[in-house]
Structure formats: structure tokens, C-alpha cells
């Protein structure tokens, strides 16, 4: 697996800018739309569970689980962007991830933030 298998974030061509900051240098917030989120729950398959159990005994990174978590976070972020776009936003401020175990059967990942309309400063 290459480094591209473990990366994330939005594509540079997205029409909705997502940032983890309170503001965006060079832009004014013209309208606050409100909270938006993207949620997904992924279960782990038996093979990765067994592999992770064996790997945890000898130590080291659980690459299969890492890749699954990256894919899950990317899907949650895509859903966040879709919701923001559908509500008329062109940016999301203060984006965060929340990750929890879902009833011992999988992992719940929620990407959330504040949907806004921004414009370049005059």
C-alpha cells in the first residue's frame, strides 16, 4: 500500500471549501447557514478482525484497519459537503471528526461543521 492509501481531505476542485479554522483569510462570511454533518458507520469484516487480533499481539500498525478508517472519514466528509451544498453553502468552517464505536460491531464517523456563504473581501 502506498501513501495515497492513507491520505484524505477534499479534492482541490470542490465547490465547497472545508476548513478547520474559524475564518478564511481573504474572505468574509456573508451568511451563516448552520450546523451540517456527514455520518457513516462501517463494520469490520472477519478477516480484518482476525488479522488485527494477531497483529495486536506482536505490535505494529494495523494497516487494513487504518485504510478502512481513512475511507470512512473520506465518505463522512463527502456527505458533509453534499449537505452543505444542498443548503446553499459554499464553505464549511470549524470542520471536525467524531469517531466512536457503534455497539461493538463497527465504527461511527461523523464529520461536522458550520455551513456558511463566503465571498472575497472587497
Amino acid at each position: 500500500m502506498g501513501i495515497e492509501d492513507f491520505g484524505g481531505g477534499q479534492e482541490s476542485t470542490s465547490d465547497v471549501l472545508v476548513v478547520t479554522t474559524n475564518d478564511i483569510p481573504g474572505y468574509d462570511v456573508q451568511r451563516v447557514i448552520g450546523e451540517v454533518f456527514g455520518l457513516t458507520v462501517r463494520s469490520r469484516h472477519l478477516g480484518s478482525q482476525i488479522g488485527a487480533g494477531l497483529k495486536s499481539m506482536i505490535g505494529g500498525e494495523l494497516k487494513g484497519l487504518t485504510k478502512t478508517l481513512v475511507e470512512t472519514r473520506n465518505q463522512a466528509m463527502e456527505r458533509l459537503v453534499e449537505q452543505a451544498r444542498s443548503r446553499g453553502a459554499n464553505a464549511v468552517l470549524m470542520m471536525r471528526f467524531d469517531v466512536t464505536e457503534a455497539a461493538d460491531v463497527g465504527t461511527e464517523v461523523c464529520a461536522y461543521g458550520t455551513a456558511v456563504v463566503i465571498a472575497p473581501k472587497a
Side-chain angles (χ1 to χ4, degrees), residues 7-75:
Q10 72 182 138
E11 296 183 25
S12 60
T13 59
S14 179
D15 60 333
V16 177
L17 179 62
V18 179
V19 297
T20 59
T21 56
N22 289 329
D23 54 17
I24 302 168
Y27 289 85
D28 285 321
V29 174
Q30 294 187 322
R31 183 167 56 105
V32 175
I33 295 171
E35 181 185 10
V36 289
F37 67 91
L39 179 69
T40 186
V41 179
R42 293 273 180 102
S43 65
R44 290 178 234 138
H45 62 76
L46 184 59
S48 69
Q49 290 283 73
I50 293 170
L54 293 172
K55 187 75 168 187
S56 67
M57 289 190 288
I58 59 172
E61 182 181 9
L62 307 173
K63 289 186 179 183
L65 292 178
T66 300
K67 187 174 179 181
T68 298
L69 185 55
V70 167
E71 290 169 353
T72 303
R73 286 173 65 129
N74 287 343
Q75 184 177 46

XYZ file of all heavy atoms in Angstrom, residues 7-75:
507
model
N -4.211 8.772 2.846
C -4.476 10.207 2.874
C -5.956 10.501 2.805
O -6.781 9.617 2.608
N -6.284 11.749 2.974
C -7.686 12.143 2.926
C -7.824 13.609 2.621
O -6.898 14.257 2.151
N -8.984 14.118 2.912
C -9.280 15.520 2.653
C -10.019 15.675 1.346
O -10.229 14.724 0.612
N -10.426 16.901 1.088
C -11.235 17.138 -0.102
C -10.354 17.404 -1.316
O -9.189 17.771 -1.194
C -12.208 18.278 0.144
C -11.586 19.646 0.201
C -12.600 20.734 0.488
O -12.325 21.605 1.256
N -13.755 20.697 -0.123
N -10.960 17.225 -2.480
C -10.256 17.491 -3.727
C -10.183 18.993 -3.958
O -11.063 19.747 -3.542
C -10.989 16.813 -4.884
C -10.991 15.298 -4.769
C -11.665 14.628 -5.953
O -11.709 15.235 -7.039
O -12.141 13.507 -5.777
N -9.146 19.435 -4.640
C -8.947 20.867 -4.863
C -9.999 21.459 -5.798
O -10.132 22.683 -5.874
C -7.558 21.122 -5.427
O -7.392 20.441 -6.651
N -10.767 20.631 -6.482
C -11.783 21.121 -7.416
C -13.157 21.272 -6.771
O -14.110 21.659 -7.436
C -11.906 20.167 -8.616
O -12.252 18.856 -8.128
C -10.615 20.097 -9.410
N -13.289 21.008 -5.483
C -14.585 21.080 -4.811
C -15.117 22.511 -4.808
O -14.365 23.468 -4.650
C -14.471 20.573 -3.371
O -15.729 20.668 -2.733
N -16.433 22.656 -4.978
C -17.067 23.980 -4.953
C -17.448 24.399 -3.536
O -17.962 25.491 -3.331
C -18.296 23.995 -5.865
C -19.344 22.979 -5.454
O -18.981 21.950 -4.849
O -20.535 23.187 -5.752
N -17.207 23.534 -2.549
C -17.457 23.848 -1.145
C -16.121 23.709 -0.415
O -15.561 22.623 -0.332
C -18.513 22.899 -0.520
C -18.688 23.197 0.959
C -19.844 23.021 -1.257
N -15.610 24.833 0.089
C -14.351 24.839 0.811
C -14.591 24.383 2.242
O -15.491 24.896 2.910
C -13.751 26.244 0.796
C -12.431 26.431 1.528
C -11.338 25.568 0.903
C -12.033 27.894 1.526
N -13.799 23.425 2.711
C -13.927 22.919 4.077
C -12.635 23.220 4.812
O -11.553 22.832 4.361
C -14.211 21.399 4.091
C -14.315 20.893 5.523
C -15.483 21.079 3.320
N -12.758 23.922 5.952
C -11.589 24.283 6.750
C -11.847 23.963 8.218
O -12.992 23.850 8.649
C -11.215 25.783 6.587
C -10.833 26.108 5.155
C -12.331 26.680 7.075
N -10.775 23.834 8.965
C -10.892 23.566 10.395
C -10.768 24.845 11.222
O -10.813 24.785 12.447
C -9.816 22.558 10.853
O -8.529 23.099 10.558
C -10.010 21.221 10.156
N -10.643 25.975 10.561
C -10.462 27.258 11.234
C -11.794 27.993 11.400
O -12.798 27.632 10.789
C -9.487 28.146 10.444
O -9.989 28.285 9.105
C -8.107 27.525 10.399
N -11.771 29.058 12.224
C -12.974 29.875 12.457
C -13.297 30.795 11.287
O -14.442 31.202 11.124
C -12.787 30.762 13.694
C -12.795 29.972 14.971
O -13.452 28.956 15.086
N -12.030 30.446 15.947
N -12.276 31.154 10.531
C -12.462 32.045 9.397
C -11.503 31.666 8.284
O -10.661 30.783 8.455
C -12.298 33.512 9.797
C -10.965 33.772 10.499
O -10.054 32.935 10.400
O -10.827 34.830 11.129
N -11.639 32.351 7.150
C -10.795 32.063 5.997
C -10.147 33.375 5.579
O -10.853 34.331 5.212
C -11.622 31.470 4.831
C -12.332 30.199 5.282
C -10.737 31.199 3.629
C -13.382 29.697 4.311
N -8.832 33.473 5.663
C -8.150 34.718 5.288
C -8.530 35.147 3.871
O -8.560 34.335 2.942
C -6.667 34.354 5.370
C -6.615 33.220 6.346
C -7.890 32.443 6.108
N -8.881 36.443 3.733
C -9.242 36.987 2.428
C -10.714 36.850 2.087
O -11.141 37.263 1.018
N -11.506 36.273 2.991
C -12.937 36.075 2.746
C -13.756 36.601 3.913
O -13.324 36.565 5.071
C -13.270 34.593 2.549
C -12.767 34.040 1.252
C -11.463 33.572 1.135
C -13.593 33.986 0.126
C -10.989 33.063 -0.058
C -13.126 33.473 -1.077
C -11.821 33.019 -1.157
O -11.362 32.516 -2.337
N -14.955 37.074 3.614
C -15.927 37.474 4.629
C -17.056 36.451 4.648
O -17.471 35.948 3.594
C -16.540 38.844 4.301
C -15.584 39.984 4.570
O -14.853 39.932 5.585
O -15.577 40.938 3.760
N -17.540 36.163 5.833
C -18.725 35.312 5.965
C -19.940 36.215 5.757
O -20.168 37.147 6.526
C -18.782 34.625 7.348
C -20.101 33.878 7.508
C -17.598 33.678 7.519
N -20.706 35.944 4.716
C -21.878 36.754 4.410
C -23.135 36.219 5.087
O -24.036 36.982 5.390
C -22.104 36.813 2.899
C -20.999 37.537 2.175
C -21.314 37.723 0.715
O -21.890 36.842 0.073
N -20.935 38.875 0.177
N -23.167 34.901 5.289
C -24.358 34.303 5.903
C -23.970 32.998 6.569
O -23.235 32.194 5.999
C -25.413 34.039 4.829
C -26.716 33.495 5.367
C -27.838 33.555 4.332
N -27.516 32.874 3.101
C -28.014 31.675 2.742
N -28.852 31.046 3.520
N -27.672 31.141 1.591
N -24.464 32.795 7.780
C -24.280 31.530 8.484
C -25.540 30.700 8.266
O -26.640 31.135 8.589
C -24.037 31.750 9.994
C -23.983 30.418 10.724
C -22.762 32.544 10.222
N -25.361 29.510 7.710
C -26.495 28.624 7.449
C -26.764 27.739 8.655
O -27.895 27.517 9.041
C -26.247 27.798 6.172
C -26.201 28.749 4.975
C -27.303 26.720 6.004
C -25.758 28.118 3.692
N -25.710 27.225 9.277
C -25.873 26.409 10.476
C -25.073 25.124 10.403
O -24.297 24.896 9.467
N -25.279 24.282 11.400
C -24.527 23.032 11.505
C -24.897 22.072 10.383
O -26.069 21.929 10.039
C -24.789 22.353 12.846
C -24.004 21.078 13.002
C -24.335 20.300 14.268
O -25.297 20.643 14.949
O -23.621 19.324 14.522
N -23.883 21.429 9.853
C -24.074 20.354 8.880
C -23.194 19.188 9.311
O -22.200 19.378 10.019
C -23.716 20.788 7.439
C -24.743 21.752 6.895
C -22.328 21.386 7.356
N -23.590 17.994 8.915
C -22.768 16.836 9.245
C -22.908 15.764 8.191
O -23.864 15.735 7.423
C -23.104 16.284 10.638
C -24.478 15.693 10.751
C -24.704 14.346 10.500
C -25.545 16.483 11.122
C -25.976 13.806 10.608
C -26.822 15.953 11.238
C -27.035 14.612 10.983
N -21.918 14.892 8.162
C -21.935 13.704 7.315
C -21.612 12.530 8.213
O -20.640 12.569 8.972
N -22.408 11.501 8.151
C -22.277 10.373 9.073
C -22.201 9.067 8.298
O -22.897 8.883 7.301
C -23.496 10.340 10.002
C -23.570 9.221 11.027
C -22.502 9.414 12.092
C -24.938 9.203 11.669
N -21.358 8.169 8.763
C -21.304 6.824 8.210
C -20.893 5.858 9.306
O -20.199 6.237 10.246
C -20.345 6.729 6.996
O -20.440 5.426 6.423
C -18.920 7.006 7.381
N -21.362 4.637 9.197
C -20.986 3.575 10.134
C -20.462 2.417 9.303
O -21.120 1.983 8.357
C -22.179 3.106 10.993
C -21.762 1.982 11.924
C -22.759 4.266 11.779
N -19.292 1.945 9.635
C -18.679 0.831 8.910
C -18.448 -0.325 9.859
O -17.954 -0.141 10.970
C -17.319 1.238 8.334
C -17.367 2.270 7.253
C -17.573 1.603 5.895
N -17.620 2.589 4.846
C -16.615 2.852 4.041
N -15.481 2.212 4.146
N -16.741 3.756 3.105
N -18.796 -1.511 9.413
C -18.477 -2.701 10.200
C -17.138 -3.249 9.728
O -16.719 -3.011 8.604
C -19.564 -3.764 10.031
O -19.604 -4.216 8.698
N -16.498 -3.969 10.598
C -15.235 -4.608 10.248
C -15.535 -6.034 9.812
O -16.330 -6.715 10.443
C -14.299 -4.612 11.446
C -13.815 -3.228 11.759
C -12.935 -3.248 12.980
N -13.524 -2.267 13.883
C -13.682 -2.416 15.171
N -13.282 -3.499 15.766
N -14.224 -1.478 15.885
N -14.873 -6.478 8.750
C -15.111 -7.843 8.308
C -14.243 -8.811 9.112
O -13.248 -8.429 9.737
C -14.916 -8.001 6.791
C -13.533 -7.706 6.302
N -12.489 -8.563 6.457
C -13.051 -6.623 5.647
C -11.404 -8.045 5.929
N -11.725 -6.865 5.432
N -14.636 -10.048 9.120
C -13.993 -11.069 9.947
C -12.499 -11.168 9.697
O -11.716 -11.289 10.628
C -14.663 -12.436 9.710
C -14.170 -13.593 10.556
C -14.355 -13.288 12.040
C -14.880 -14.872 10.178
N -12.073 -11.086 8.442
C -10.647 -11.198 8.124
C -9.821 -10.105 8.791
O -8.762 -10.374 9.345
N -10.327 -8.882 8.747
C -9.572 -7.795 9.372
C -9.591 -7.910 10.888
O -8.634 -7.538 11.553
C -10.102 -6.428 8.929
O -11.382 -6.182 9.457
N -10.676 -8.435 11.441
C -10.762 -8.636 12.892
C -9.700 -9.642 13.352
O -9.007 -9.423 14.330
C -12.148 -9.145 13.291
C -13.251 -8.145 13.144
C -13.243 -7.139 14.265
O -12.378 -6.263 14.308
N -14.191 -7.234 15.149
N -9.609 -10.754 12.627
C -8.631 -11.789 12.989
C -7.217 -11.255 12.805
O -6.360 -11.400 13.675
C -8.857 -13.069 12.156
C -10.191 -13.710 12.553
C -7.696 -14.046 12.333
C -10.630 -14.828 11.639
N -6.982 -10.590 11.650
C -5.663 -10.023 11.385
C -5.276 -8.991 12.428
O -4.136 -8.954 12.888
N -6.226 -8.157 12.822
C -5.946 -7.136 13.830
C -5.644 -7.779 15.173
O -4.752 -7.331 15.903
C -7.129 -6.182 13.960
N -6.362 -8.842 15.499
C -6.115 -9.535 16.756
C -4.719 -10.128 16.806
O -4.016 -10.011 17.810
N -4.304 -10.757 15.710
C -2.962 -11.329 15.650
C -1.893 -10.242 15.675
O -0.890 -10.349 16.381
C -2.808 -12.182 14.385
C -3.663 -13.455 14.329
C -3.555 -14.089 12.955
C -3.251 -14.426 15.413
N -2.111 -9.171 14.921
C -1.134 -8.095 14.852
C -0.987 -7.402 16.207
O 0.110 -6.998 16.592
C -1.563 -7.082 13.780
C -0.548 -6.015 13.499
C 0.599 -6.555 12.694
C 1.456 -5.427 12.180
N 2.470 -5.862 11.272
N -2.092 -7.299 16.953
C -2.022 -6.618 18.246
C -1.168 -7.399 19.241
O -0.632 -6.831 20.183
C -3.425 -6.384 18.814
O -4.029 -7.612 19.154
N -1.018 -8.697 19.026
C -0.189 -9.496 19.924
C 1.302 -9.257 19.678
O 2.095 -9.348 20.600
C -0.505 -10.990 19.762
C -1.863 -11.365 20.329
S -2.128 -13.140 20.394
C -2.341 -13.545 18.680
N 1.659 -8.950 18.431
C 3.085 -8.760 18.133
C 3.458 -7.298 17.950
O 4.630 -6.959 17.891
C 3.506 -9.568 16.877
C 2.701 -9.144 15.655
C 3.385 -11.045 17.136
C 3.189 -9.747 14.360
N 2.453 -6.422 17.833
C 2.706 -4.994 17.701
C 2.793 -4.550 16.264
O 2.942 -5.350 15.347
N 2.686 -3.264 16.050
C 2.775 -2.691 14.713
C 1.455 -2.096 14.267
O 0.424 -2.268 14.897
N 1.527 -1.383 13.166
C 0.339 -0.721 12.621
C -0.631 -1.733 12.031
O -0.223 -2.703 11.382
C 0.727 0.280 11.535
C -0.478 1.011 10.984
C -0.142 1.996 9.882
O 1.018 2.007 9.419
O -1.036 2.750 9.488
N -1.904 -1.492 12.234
C -2.960 -2.318 11.649
C -3.378 -1.645 10.340
O -4.358 -0.909 10.280
C -4.134 -2.436 12.623
C -3.773 -2.919 14.027
C -4.974 -2.844 14.943
C -3.207 -4.322 13.973
N -2.604 -1.897 9.280
C -2.783 -1.167 8.022
C -4.157 -1.359 7.402
O -4.717 -0.419 6.841
C -1.679 -1.541 7.032
C -0.338 -0.986 7.440
C 0.723 -1.225 6.391
C 2.038 -0.618 6.869
N 3.085 -0.753 5.888
N -4.714 -2.539 7.492
C -6.051 -2.767 6.942
C -7.097 -1.915 7.638
O -7.959 -1.312 6.992
N -7.004 -1.834 8.954
C -7.947 -1.006 9.702
C -7.694 0.478 9.473
O -8.636 1.269 9.419
C -7.875 -1.337 11.202
C -8.381 -2.726 11.587
C -8.217 -2.961 13.080
C -9.834 -2.912 11.187
N -6.426 0.854 9.326
C -6.101 2.252 9.039
C -6.716 2.669 7.714
O -7.345 3.726 7.602
C -4.574 2.461 8.995
O -4.023 2.103 10.253
C -4.223 3.905 8.674
N -6.559 1.844 6.696
C -7.111 2.157 5.377
C -8.636 2.252 5.432
O -9.228 3.159 4.848
C -6.683 1.105 4.354
C -7.089 1.456 2.943
C -6.528 0.490 1.939
C -6.983 0.877 0.543
N -6.488 -0.030 -0.473
N -9.270 1.354 6.173
C -10.727 1.389 6.315
C -11.177 2.674 7.000
O -12.155 3.297 6.588
C -11.230 0.164 7.101
O -10.889 -1.009 6.373
C -12.723 0.205 7.306
N -10.447 3.095 8.023
C -10.813 4.318 8.725
C -10.644 5.547 7.827
O -11.485 6.439 7.832
C -10.008 4.479 10.016
C -10.401 5.659 10.899
C -11.888 5.627 11.245
C -9.566 5.671 12.160
N -9.589 5.585 7.025
C -9.391 6.694 6.085
C -10.550 6.744 5.093
O -11.114 7.815 4.825
C -8.038 6.566 5.341
C -7.959 7.515 4.155
C -6.885 6.821 6.291
N -10.930 5.604 4.542
C -12.052 5.549 3.593
C -13.345 6.018 4.259
O -14.155 6.722 3.651
C -12.220 4.130 3.056
C -11.103 3.685 2.136
C -11.136 2.192 1.824
O -11.963 1.460 2.421
O -10.320 1.756 0.998
N -13.536 5.628 5.506
C -14.739 6.000 6.240
C -14.770 7.500 6.501
O -15.806 8.149 6.324
C -14.806 5.217 7.570
O -14.758 3.815 7.272
C -16.077 5.518 8.326
N -13.650 8.079 6.907
C -13.582 9.524 7.136
C -13.837 10.282 5.831
O -14.542 11.298 5.830
C -12.216 9.911 7.713
C -12.058 9.510 9.158
C -10.658 9.753 9.652
N -10.328 11.172 9.656
C -9.817 11.820 10.688
N -9.574 11.177 11.799
N -9.544 13.095 10.610
N -13.276 9.806 4.735
C -13.490 10.466 3.442
C -14.955 10.427 3.044
O -15.496 11.404 2.519
C -12.610 9.850 2.367
C -11.154 10.229 2.515
O -10.805 11.182 3.203
N -10.280 9.466 1.881
N -15.624 9.295 3.293
C -17.049 9.192 2.968
C -17.870 10.147 3.840
O -18.777 10.819 3.349
C -17.550 7.764 3.154
C -19.004 7.603 2.737
C -19.477 6.175 2.862
O -19.236 5.518 3.870
N -20.156 5.699 1.838
